[in-house]
Amino acid sequence: NAGVTQTPKFQVLKTGQSMTLQCAQDMNHEYMSWYRQDPGMGLRLIHYSVGAGITDQGEVPNGYNVSRSTTEDFPLRLLSAAPSQTSVYFCASSLNSGGNTEAFFGQGTRLTVV
Amino acid sequence: ILNVEQSPQSLHVQEGDSTNFTCSFPSSNFYALHWYRWETAKSPEALFVMTLNGDEKKKGRISATLNTKEGYSYLYIKGSQPEDSATYLCAFPRSNDMRFGAGTRLTVKP
């Protein structure tokens, strides 16, 4: 059982470049989310989805787009990378929305924007 | 505004010591309180999801309590071992929004 698979593990981008972080889960989870982790701060929610075709903004959505065309996949797109987006990114999934089921996390992506 | 505060920020203990740390969260409109363990170079893994005031949960030497009326949860580790060294995160979901504390980094010295 693969759980939550997130790629790539590491990425270096130049300012202005675009890229997509991939996230897939095989647990038939309804809820998927993206977080960023910055030093001294907790994980901050970027975007989330409560099911295929439904996405919404979290705490820090600016500069990021998401889509959820299938239950399994929830990619995160950086349209024009900025140095402020240098961070560690985590994808997570939960059985359902509402917060009463545990989150399963991907391996993380360390992104550096130069 | 959802503020989730964890204290202390870091903790160094000797092997065999028992320890505890705190998570504070807004006491209104409570849904649940999560605890995660996050080892260096790995992903956070769930320890507990607590939903009821007065809840006490236990997993091996780790246990947690919950007070939703006053907005805090304690995580206890009995007889700390070097393998317990990790960052412990609490998270407070409100509807579809999950807010994490900054974590308590625990180092257990052999």
Side-chain angles (χ1 to χ4, degrees):
Chain A
N1 194 346
V4 180
T5 303
Q6 187 182 333
T7 57
K9 270 193 161 183
F10 302 95
Q11 184 71 51
V12 179
L13 287 179
K14 292 183 179 177
T15 296
Q17 285 186 315
S18 63
M19 80 159 294
T20 299
L21 279 62
Q22 301 292 343
C23 177
Q25 52 91 10
D26 62 359
M27 298 174 282
N28 201 31
H29 281 178
E30 174 184 283
Y31 182 87
M32 296 186 74
S33 52
W34 278 100
Y35 296 89
R36 57 179 289 172
Q37 165 73 47
D38 300 296
M41 306 184 78
L43 292 164
R44 291 185 293 167
L45 182 64
I46 303 171
H47 285 284
Y48 66 89
S49 168
V50 298
I54 307 170
T55 63
D56 207 343
Q57 297 180 352
E59 184 184 358
V60 288
N62 292 341
Y64 308 95
N65 276 356
V66 291
S67 59
R68 183 103 178 263
S69 55
T70 66
T71 300
E72 294 78 20
D73 299 298
F74 190 46
L76 177 74
R77 280 182 284 278
L78 282 71
L79 300 176
S80 179
S84 60
Q85 294 178 303
T86 293
S87 188
V88 181
Y89 292 84
F90 285 95
C91 177
S93 73
S94 304
L95 181 62
N96 51 42
S97 56
N100 61 355
T101 55
E102 66 184 281
F104 292 82
F105 287 85
Q107 309 94 304
T109 297
R110 184 173 293 275
L111 175 68
T112 303
V113 183
V114 298
Chain B
I1 296 175
L2 304 177
N3 287 328
V4 181
E5 306 286 343
Q6 289 189 250
S7 62
Q9 198 170 24
S10 66
L11 201 50
H12 294 254
V13 301
Q14 289 293 136
E15 182 175 354
D17 287 350
S18 293
T19 187
N20 66 85
F21 14 97
T22 306
C23 173
S24 301
F25 53 85
S27 56
S28 59
N29 297 323
F30 179 83
Y31 284 82
L33 193 283
H34 296 215
W35 280 102
Y36 292 86
R37 170 192 160 88
W38 190 1
E39 291 181 73
T40 303
K42 294 188 177 180
S43 305
E45 291 185 350
L47 286 170
F48 307 114
V49 177
M50 309 177 79
T51 56
L52 297 174
N53 185 42
D55 237 358
E56 289 189 32
K57 298 225 173 183
K58 189 174 180 182
K59 185 181 285 190
R61 293 177 292 97
I62 303 177
S63 60
T65 61
L66 178 67
N67 183 324
T68 62
K69 295 188 189 309
E70 295 182 37
Y72 65 83
S73 176
Y74 294 138
L75 190 79
Y76 300 92
I77 303 179
K78 185 177 177 182
S80 302
Q81 299 296 308
E83 57 265 30
D84 295 328
S85 296
T87 296
Y88 292 84
L89 301 173
C90 69
F92 180 74
R94 178 165 288 175
S95 187
N96 294 314
D97 188 358
M98 180 89 93
R99 296 296 171 100
F100 282 81
T104 293
R105 181 188 281 276
L106 174 67
T107 304
V108 182
K109 300 174 192 174

